Amino acid sequence: MHTSTRGWMVRFFLISSFLSTLVESKPATNRSNFDDDNDLADFGHLLIDLVAKMKAGHCYAFITDNIYQVVLTGRLFREIETFPRYVVQIPDYEDTLDPGTRVRCMLEEVRKIGCGAYVILLTNGIQMERLLRFGDRTRIINTRAKFIILHDYRLFVPDLHFLWKRIVNVVFVRQLVIDKAKKRHESHHYELSTVPFPFPLRGVFISRRLDFWFNGKFRKGRKLFSDKTTNLDGQSMKVVVLEHTPAIFRTTHNETDEHLKYYGLEVELLKAISEAMKFEMDFYESDDAAVAMWGTVTDGENATGLLGEMNEGHADFALADLHHTQYHLEIMDLSIPYNTECLTFLTPEALTDNSWTTLILPFTGGMWAGVLASLFSIGTVFYALSRLLMFVRHEQSYRSDLDMIAKRSRKRNRKVHFKIVCGMVNSYKRALGNRKWLKFKKKSTDTSNMNKLKMLKMIPFKRQALPWKDPLPPRDIFDTFSGCIIYTYSMLLLVSLPRLPKGWPLRLLTGWYWIYCILLVVAYRASLTAILANPVARVTIDKLKDLADSPIRCGAWGEQNKLFFQSASDQVSMQIGQKLEHTPKAEAAVERVVEGHFAYYDNVYMLKHLRATRKSAKARETLHIMEECAVHMPISIGLEKNSPLKPKVDKYVRALVEAGLTKKWLADAIEEFQSNVEIPPQEATMDLQKLTAAFIALAIGYGVSLLAFSAEKLYWRFVVEKHPAYDKYIVGSYRGKVVRF
């Protein structure tokens, strides 16, 4: 809502200003010339000729006061043709160093549209210089546009020399007084001059004369608005540098600072630009570069380090691997990005010393739970099936005894019948009185008596089996629960059974369980072989979320990096920003990373360089570069604020990037440490560390055996010997029973 209202206000002001201009200049337009008695008549004609040579492009901006507003005539606007024009009238009381809302809105609208020509006609030189300073500080005026400005000595004081290093496409108009006795109808002489760019300003400002205008004509007819940045005539440009990989490297021939030499990606890039634009480079570092490095800006004005050099206007270029961010754009100009760097963290890395868990690593927790559950369930099934078969055998044995009793009963009945028949026969024989039959009778009587004695033999009687009252003695290997568990466990370890079970149901179940055990053991052995052959796993931090959740602190250079994370929209970056701290020294930060309690933030090339310079093997094994990039940051070359060189520099940077030279120079810069990689652990080697689990298992077995032995001794000492029925003189006696060993 505020933006819409502001836009309507600006449009209303433009329309009203334009209509008022037409109304005020209507008499001059009807006469198609200024009045002869008007002192600004010649200046009006000169302004028309100058505007015709400007070729502004998008639009024109006229900034005038009440006095020079009369020169904005219809003829001038017809010269502009169809190009838009903006007229900004500055009141006499306006403080142009901090203008009011109406003037500021007009200037912002002109800047937003991108007008390529400014005509500033202010009688008050103080207002003019304050307006130029305001436009330079806030960038509300495009300093790379073409300017027509009234000549005023107050614009050329030493404190304003920095303006004329930035506003170079300018024409100063100064009226010359040739003859004080000049008649009224004679035209005025005007001198047209400009700044002496690219030559530096030292002490007194001396403008470079372009041409003279008199009586509607230019004396020399020179080109007034030319591109002064094409050829800088071998001028020396100050280049402030800061050593940082891969942009800038520093080397010395003799261990002294007298023969410093700089090389790197940005140095090669600027060398190519200097050859095209024909200027020399003077490299230097700020006095506090070792401490302040890039530097900081306080109160929007005071700055230290490299940023302080650019903020004060001491350097024309800055080479320091500068991020293309709004933070830097407020202090200097930046070229178009020539590269995009991955900004990430250097994190500590730890080897997972889990050798003691090697025996359980082949299977997951769920798999182990399934194996143990199957072990006890199959053992239970074996025991239940064995008990069922035992019950069936026991019942059959009792049934056979009953059948024997029934058989003997039938045999006894037959003998009774036989005796009856024999008695009848004997009676008959006695009746006959046959002696022979008497002998037979005697023998029969003896046999009958013997049979009677045999019948007196005790026949054992057995009742029907009751499994819950009559425990049956074990007869097979699976008849006891402990035996079932032990034998199923031994089969799981591929240990053969002492003998096959007797029952065929148990034999079939054993066969299928053997197949299950073979498949399970083969899978376990294959997985264990792979674990022993592969390198030791490493615990690394490769995601921003992992870093945010970890307890380690984070560090980076400068408060701007901390502000970058804190102002992020995602929760993970905000968490990192809360524990990010300013780290002035990269070397000290790397030592903290080696200790395992810190993570350092920088571009991936710098982090590789820091890791490559570590001499200890421990440091190289510990340092790990996070795979995920926090941000892909565009990198640019720094230029002085509102520098007129930026359009040309952008043009050549784009050409070098498209030609692939920046990639080549980047490869050359990082060649020394690009081959440096993290040292992987040795593969397919067996050592005691990998066999730690076997020794641990053996130790656990010894420990459990000792505990069982101790428990048995304690039970004998405090339970058996304390029982009243225990007699120490009867070895093996307990509870009145003699135990045979």
Side-chain angles (χ1 to χ4, degrees), residues 386 388-397 475-476 479:
S386 177
L388 179 62
L389 293 176
M390 180 185 289
F391 173 77
V392 172
R393 288 196 303 268
H394 196 35
E395 184 180 8
Q396 288 178 353
S397 65
R475 298 178 181 179
D476 205 353
D479 285 353

Side-chain angles (χ1 to χ4, degrees), residues 605-620:
Y605 306 111
M606 183 65 182
L607 298 181
K608 287 183 178 181
H609 189 196
L610 291 173
R611 187 178 61 187
T613 54
R614 301 299 99 185
K615 297 182 180 180
S616 64
K618 177 185 175 181
R620 292 188 60 189

Side-chain angles (χ1 to χ4, degrees), residues 466-478:
L466 299 175
W468 56 88
K469 291 185 178 180
D470 300 325
L472 302 178
R475 298 178 181 179
D476 205 353
I477 59 175
F478 293 112

Side-chain angles (χ1 to χ4, degrees), residues 84-127:
R85 56 268 190 184
Y86 291 85
V87 179
V88 183
Q89 184 175 355
I90 305 296
D92 297 338
Y93 55 84
E94 189 76 46
D95 181 10
T96 52
L97 188 61
D98 185 17
T101 304
R102 189 178 67 171
V103 175
R104 191 187 296 266
C105 290
M106 286 292 298
L107 294 177
E108 288 179 355
E109 189 71 18
V110 171
R111 174 64 177 179
K112 185 186 302 181
I113 294 177
C115 290
Y118 286 82
V119 179
I120 303 178
L121 307 176
L122 296 178
T123 308
N124 190 340
I126 297 178
Q127 270 190 324

Side-chain angles (χ1 to χ4, degrees), residues 23 133 203 205 294-295 370 416 492 541 648 651:
V23 171
R133 282 197 291 157
F205 179 89
W294 285 272
V416 171
L492 195 60
I541 299 176
K648 285 292 181 182
K651 173 185 175 182

